[in-house]
Amino acid sequence: MKSTFIKITIVLLLAACTHLSYGQCDKTVTLKSSKTNHLDEKGNIESSKEEKATITISKTQVTIVPGEEDHTISGAITSKTCEWPTAFKDGKTVVKAKLEDDSGNTQHCTITITGVAGKITLVFETEENPGKKIMVVADTFE
């Protein structure tokens, strides 16, 4: 009787944790950073720039404000995978989207957000520029 109660309790706790981590995936998240790194195909930093950037990812849309607030890149999400065992601390989200900038240039991109021990990084890659990546480390992720 006691072991059955313990088993049921464990199953309910696991279900609750799974629901909480999945629930995060449906929420709008905003990542803000103060430094942008441009990487080569091997992941080495080619250049860095001190600039504020804001990336907002909702259930259906990505909006990026790199540096200047009067310049935005946004578009619809075409696919999204999300697994965060510890919400906003440890996990990974991969978003594929078709983004367009203010001048009408379109890019097909993959955005990978990774959290390890509370350090959140975002890597942005486009099909149009293979081998080139942009990485930011989150100052805030909410």
Side-chain angles (χ1 to χ4, degrees):
M1 177 89 158
K2 200 176 207 182
S3 67
T4 302
F5 176 75
I6 292 171
K7 288 177 185 176
I8 290 172
T9 303
I10 290 171
V11 168
L12 290 174
L13 284 172
L14 287 173
C17 290
T18 301
H19 178 69
L20 287 174
S21 68
Y22 181 75
Q24 172 190 327
C25 298
D26 284 341
K27 293 180 182 177
T28 297
V29 295
T30 300
L31 179 147
K32 293 184 180 188
S33 75
S34 56
K35 185 177 183 180
T36 302
N37 297 309
H38 293 264
L39 311 177
D40 64 16
E41 57 200 26
K42 294 180 182 176
N44 299 314
I45 296 175
E46 288 184 326
S47 64
S48 292
K49 184 176 182 181
E50 298 290 330
E51 69 176 347
K52 292 185 181 201
T54 302
I55 299 97
T56 303
I57 301 172
S58 72
K59 200 172 185 179
T60 60
Q61 181 99 4
V62 174
T63 303
I64 301 170
V65 182
E68 303 167 18
E69 291 187 22
D70 62 341
H71 174 67
T72 60
I73 302 166
S74 63
I77 293 173
T78 56
S79 73
K80 184 177 182 181
T81 60
C82 184
E83 185 177 325
W84 288 82
T86 307
F88 304 114
K89 301 284 183 206
D90 292 293
K92 185 175 182 178
T93 295
V94 178
V95 174
K96 292 188 183 261
K98 183 177 177 182
L99 301 180
E100 186 174 309
D101 65 15
D102 295 333
S103 57
N105 296 322
T106 301
Q107 296 181 343
H108 299 84
C109 71
T110 301
I111 300 169
T112 305
I113 302 170
T114 307
V116 177
K119 181 180 177 181
I120 309 296
T121 59
L122 180 143
V123 176
F124 176 88
E125 304 174 71
T126 66
E127 291 177 12
E128 291 76 14
N129 293 308
K132 300 288 183 180
K133 299 176 184 179
I134 297 172
M135 181 184 76
V136 297
V137 176
D139 296 330
T140 62
F141 183 67
E142 43 193 49

